[in-house]
Amino acid sequence: MLYHDLKTLFVLSRTYTSAIKVFLNNSFTDVNKTYLELGQLNVEMLSRGTAWLDTGTFNSLLDAANYIRVLEERQGLKIACIEEIAYQRGYINAEQVHSLAVPLAKSGYGEYLFRMFKQ
């Protein structure tokens, strides 16, 4: 996952006249180069089986959405289901997951949450 914290605005505003100008006129590659030059770039290699989905254009966003849809349908799992992750990590219990699922009961997402405990 590529992300930049709020510090990016402050770091880059020292280099450029306007931090907003950086984001409007420069790519994230330029932002990353600046962090590299400052010795503040942290990089992690993606593990095998990890997919990088660029969503910078309408077509690539649609491609990414279709990829996720197909993956979820074939595997029967949800990608980044926050309730499932929170439950697995012990942040919430089964009762809390159930109460979160109730308002979503008529959706595929709600059904997925209910199925987590029927297995």
Side-chain angles (χ1 to χ4, degrees), residues 5-23 34-35 37-40:
D5 56 19
L6 291 176
K7 182 178 166 187
T8 302
L9 290 174
F10 300 110
V11 169
L12 297 177
S13 66
R14 286 189 232 139
T15 309
Y16 299 92
T17 57
S18 168
I20 295 172
K21 182 178 177 183
V22 172
F23 288 103
T34 302
Y35 267 106
E37 290 166 4
L38 295 170
Q40 297 179 0

Side-chain angles (χ1 to χ4, degrees), residues 18-117:
S18 168
I20 295 172
K21 182 178 177 183
V22 172
F23 288 103
L24 295 177
N25 297 326
N26 295 288
S27 69
F28 276 107
T29 300
D30 295 330
V31 173
N32 291 337
K33 283 180 184 176
T34 302
Y35 267 106
L36 181 62
E37 290 166 4
L38 295 170
Q40 297 179 0
L41 181 66
N42 296 316
V43 177
E44 292 184 28
M45 297 298 290
L46 300 176
S47 61
R48 184 171 188 232
T50 301
W52 176 262
L53 305 174
D54 185 7
T55 57
T57 66
F58 292 119
N59 285 339
S60 62
L61 178 60
L62 180 59
D63 290 344
N66 285 330
Y67 176 81
I68 296 299
R69 180 188 53 78
V70 168
L71 199 61
E72 287 183 346
E73 286 176 359
R74 289 184 182 175
Q75 293 187 355
L77 301 171
K78 292 289 181 195
I79 304 294
C81 174
I82 194 68
E83 297 85 356
E84 182 177 32
I85 295 166
Y87 176 73
Q88 290 173 345
R89 294 188 175 188
Y91 299 134
I92 60 176
N93 59 35
E95 184 178 312
Q96 290 169 307
V97 173
H98 186 271
S99 67
L100 291 167
V102 170
L104 307 170
K106 294 182 181 181
S107 72
Y109 191 82
E111 292 171 2
Y112 178 79
L113 293 175
F114 286 125
R115 277 196 313 270
M116 283 174 47
F117 301 104

